Amino acid sequence: MKTKPNQKKEIRKLFNEMNSKTDFLNLLNYTKSLIYGVKTFPFTEKQLNFYINIDRIQKSKSVETYKTFEIKKKSGKKRIIHSPCKGLKEFQKCLNIILSTIYKPHTSAHGFVIGKSIVDNAKNHVTKNYVYNIDLKDFFPSIDSNRVWGRLTVKPFNLGTTESRKQIANMIKSICCTPMKVERHIEGAWITKTLSVLPQGAATSPVLTNAICERLDIQLTGLSKRFGLDYSRYADDITFSSMHNTYTTDNGKQETIYKKDNTFDKELRRIISTQNFYINEEKVRLQKRGYKQEVTGLIVNKKVNTPSHYIKEIRQWIYFIESKGYDKAYELFLKKYIKNKGEIGNSKPSMLLVIEGKLLYLKMVKGDTNATYLKLKSRFDELAQCTPSKLEYNLEDDETVLNVEEKETIYNRDINVIIDAIFNEGLEKAMNLYKAK
């Protein structure tokens, strides 16, 4: 939800003045009233105590605060999502608004930032001779609760000024983190340990990762300026780009920039390592002009654009419905869907909803005056009028159906944008739309 200036002012005032559990609870309840209305039931101290002590409760009782499921990545591998239970989710939604009001992300950060999208991220790297992509390994789970607590104690949160405020930082980290098995690099080897970390699926994880990555963004921005590059980060997806690929060292030697073990590569890895992140070596790639250059799922060779197969797929499904009718076209669609997604259980995707979402995404990238978009949209509207019931779908909760701009974000093929929708609008909405993708 978007907060008004006077609401943001009140959140900042209450946050800066809080110095006890009661103050923290009052701030949570003020924010809850903004989300659910003034008639909502306020959080109680008993509820707050339950969630800030959940680690100890889980060890002694069979209590599940998260449900886990997998989402298939474009690479074919699985991404594990942790969905918080209803009560915990409400606390995290409120905290997300509070923390997002207090913290403004670095200008190089584009993931999970209000007013920015993957299109804005990709624009930084259009028409460059060289586009260099790297991914950070296990992005959210790589951040443990101690790092969260430490970040909350300094600017702009400043929860380290008194012992009482430090206790509030403890409460926030307990609500935002959960124990899980994670990999850690210890003495040259990857070891599996159980630690309390940021889960991918909690509404609070994005703002906290951006806050924790602020120093990383500052240092990588400085590195990019030193070598004359452009830099941006979308969650765990880091991109550098430039017109050149040479650098003159202090001793006058000419070096290739984007080459392993050269000056840039060593400094890049040093910065990432000192910030307690690791590079996913499988995702490192240099894309040169003359070949397809892609940033967060978008083509950036001449302008920000969708891959050609994206439009071909939309055109293909519209043609199938036009020529074969919806039922026959749906049979073909479902076979391909199951092949890509695997078993779908009792959940059957809406073919028209898939096409609608893809068109909304196409509009976001190309603009609402683009001729290709307008032609496909016109053909789709004719089909939708003939089979309006096929566009209906149910959400698992009673929240409002997403508006056009929100759908544009959700329907991107890049899984990071679906994750963005989970954090901004709730897991149920994102998953219903993901199933239909």
Side-chain angles (χ1 to χ4, degrees):
M1 61 163 286
K2 292 184 178 180
T3 50
K4 298 176 181 178
N6 63 313
Q7 294 169 340
K8 290 181 178 180
K9 184 177 180 180
E10 182 65 14
I11 289 173
R12 292 191 188 101
K13 176 178 177 293
L14 292 173
F15 188 92
N16 292 332
E17 293 177 352
M18 68 178 180
N19 206 40
S20 67
K21 183 188 291 186
T22 300
D23 293 339
F24 181 42
L25 189 60
N26 288 339
L27 174 56
L28 287 168
N29 280 323
Y30 171 74
T31 311
K32 188 179 184 184
S33 70
L34 301 182
I35 300 173
Y36 300 104
V38 293
K39 293 183 179 180
T40 187
F41 291 105
F43 296 123
T44 65
E45 186 172 342
K46 182 178 179 180
Q47 288 174 308
L48 179 59
N49 288 337
F50 176 82
Y51 288 113
I52 63 178
N53 293 292
I54 192 63
D55 285 359
R56 291 197 297 270
I57 293 171
Q58 283 179 324
K59 290 177 182 178
S60 60
K61 299 180 181 179
S62 179
V63 177
E64 287 190 9
T65 49
Y66 289 88
K67 291 183 179 179
T68 61
F69 60 91
E70 295 178 341
I71 290 179
K72 190 176 181 180
K73 300 181 184 180
K74 287 196 298 184
S75 64
K77 295 183 178 180
K78 302 291 185 180
R79 185 189 300 274
I80 299 176
I81 305 296
H82 290 77
S83 169
C85 66
K86 186 175 185 297
L88 180 56
K89 186 195 308 181
E90 290 180 352
F91 274 95
Q92 290 176 348
K93 278 186 176 181
C94 295
L95 267 176
N96 179 46
I97 291 175
I98 295 167
L99 297 175
S100 297
T101 300
I102 303 300
Y103 177 73
K104 182 179 180 181
H106 189 271
T107 54
S108 296
H110 291 76
F112 321 120
V113 178
I114 295 173
K116 290 186 177 182
S117 69
I118 60 167
V119 176
D120 299 298
N121 183 62
K123 283 179 180 177
N124 293 285
H125 310 289
V126 173
T127 67
K128 300 295 179 63
N129 287 335
Y130 301 92
V131 177
Y132 187 63
N133 302 105
I134 65 172
D135 272 23
L136 300 179
K137 175 180 169 61
D138 300 332
F139 186 52
F140 290 98
S142 67
I143 299 172
D144 61 41
S145 59
N146 289 333
R147 291 178 71 184
V148 172
W149 183 87
R151 186 64 183 87
L152 291 170
T153 60
V154 296
K155 293 182 179 181
F157 306 106
N158 293 320
L159 291 179
T161 54
T162 67
E163 287 303 315
S164 297
R165 284 176 68 82
K166 287 179 182 178
Q167 288 304 311
I168 295 172
N170 270 324
M171 297 176 202
I172 294 175
K173 80 167 187 181
S174 296
I175 293 171
C176 298
C177 299
T178 190
M180 66 175 74
K181 290 183 178 181
V182 294
E183 286 188 320
R184 289 293 184 265
H185 199 255
I186 301 174
E187 296 181 357
W190 287 99
I191 306 297
T192 300
K193 303 178 67 175
T194 297
L195 296 173
S196 184
V197 299
L198 287 178
Q200 186 157 324
T204 45
S205 291
V207 63
L208 288 170
T209 52
N210 276 337
I212 288 167
C213 284
E214 182 176 42
R215 188 173 296 177
L216 175 72
D217 288 328
I218 291 171
Q219 293 185 4
L220 291 184
T221 298
L223 179 67
S224 67
K225 289 180 179 179
R226 175 184 166 190
F227 285 85
L229 318 176
D230 288 296
Y231 160 73
S232 71
R233 180 180 61 82
Y234 191 98
D236 58 349
D237 194 326
I238 290 173
T239 306
F240 294 92
S241 63
S242 61
M243 300 302 293
H244 60 283
N245 192 18
T246 57
Y247 168 74
T248 303
T249 63
D250 293 338
N251 59 13
K253 179 183 177 183
Q254 287 283 322
E255 274 192 357
T256 300
I257 296 175
Y258 306 111
K259 185 176 180 181
K260 190 171 175 60
D261 294 329
N262 275 358
T263 305
F264 171 77
D265 180 70
K266 287 179 179 178
E267 187 63 11
L268 172 64
R269 290 172 182 276
R270 184 194 67 78
I271 291 172
I272 290 174
S273 177
T274 57
Q275 295 305 309
N276 294 309
F277 292 108
Y278 288 89
I279 295 174
N280 183 348
E281 299 295 344
E282 295 179 358
K283 296 290 188 70
V284 177
R285 57 177 177 160
L286 176 62
Q287 304 171 94
K288 300 179 182 179
R289 182 182 288 275
Y291 299 89
K292 184 175 74 172
Q293 295 173 314
E294 192 172 325
V295 177
T296 49
L298 295 172
I299 307 302
V300 295
N301 291 70
K302 296 180 180 179
K303 61 181 180 179
V304 178
N305 206 350
T306 56
S308 58
H309 63 78
Y310 191 87
I311 296 174
K312 288 179 181 178
E313 189 172 51
I314 298 174
R315 187 179 288 119
Q316 179 187 55
W317 292 124
I318 291 177
Y319 170 74
F320 279 167
I321 298 174
E322 290 172 336
S323 61
K324 301 177 183 298
Y326 183 86
D327 292 338
K328 181 62 178 176
Y330 187 78
E331 287 181 22
L332 298 171
F333 164 80
L334 192 58
K335 286 180 181 178
K336 182 176 180 181
Y337 184 91
I338 293 174
K339 181 180 179 181
N340 291 338
K341 304 292 183 183
E343 293 297 325
I344 60 174
N346 295 325
S347 174
K348 287 192 175 182
S350 164
M351 183 178 180
L352 287 184
L353 187 58
V354 171
I355 300 173
E356 182 195 31
K358 290 180 181 295
L359 285 169
L360 288 170
Y361 178 64
L362 189 65
K363 184 177 80 168
M364 180 180 72
V365 177
K366 287 181 170 290
D368 56 7
T369 60
N370 177 262
T372 301
Y373 161 73
L374 290 173
K375 185 175 181 179
L376 290 171
K377 180 67 164 57
S378 177
R379 291 169 64 187
F380 172 77
D381 287 343
E382 289 186 24
L383 296 174
Q385 289 175 7
C386 298
T387 54
S389 63
K390 298 293 194 304
L391 278 173
E392 295 177 0
Y393 61 97
N394 296 319
L395 298 178
E396 294 178 16
D397 58 11
D398 58 355
E399 298 181 43
T400 307
V401 174
L402 300 181
N403 61 31
V404 170
E405 288 78 12
E406 291 162 338
K407 286 181 181 177
E408 287 172 350
T409 301
I410 287 173
Y411 280 103
N412 177 25
R413 281 173 168 262
D414 183 0
I415 196 64
N416 282 330
V417 179
I418 294 178
I419 302 305
D420 200 345
I422 291 174
F423 298 131
N424 290 335
E425 301 301 331
L427 185 64
E428 287 83 5
K429 288 181 180 179
M431 281 309 300
N432 273 278
L433 294 172
Y434 170 78
K435 291 173 184 177
K437 183 171 74 72

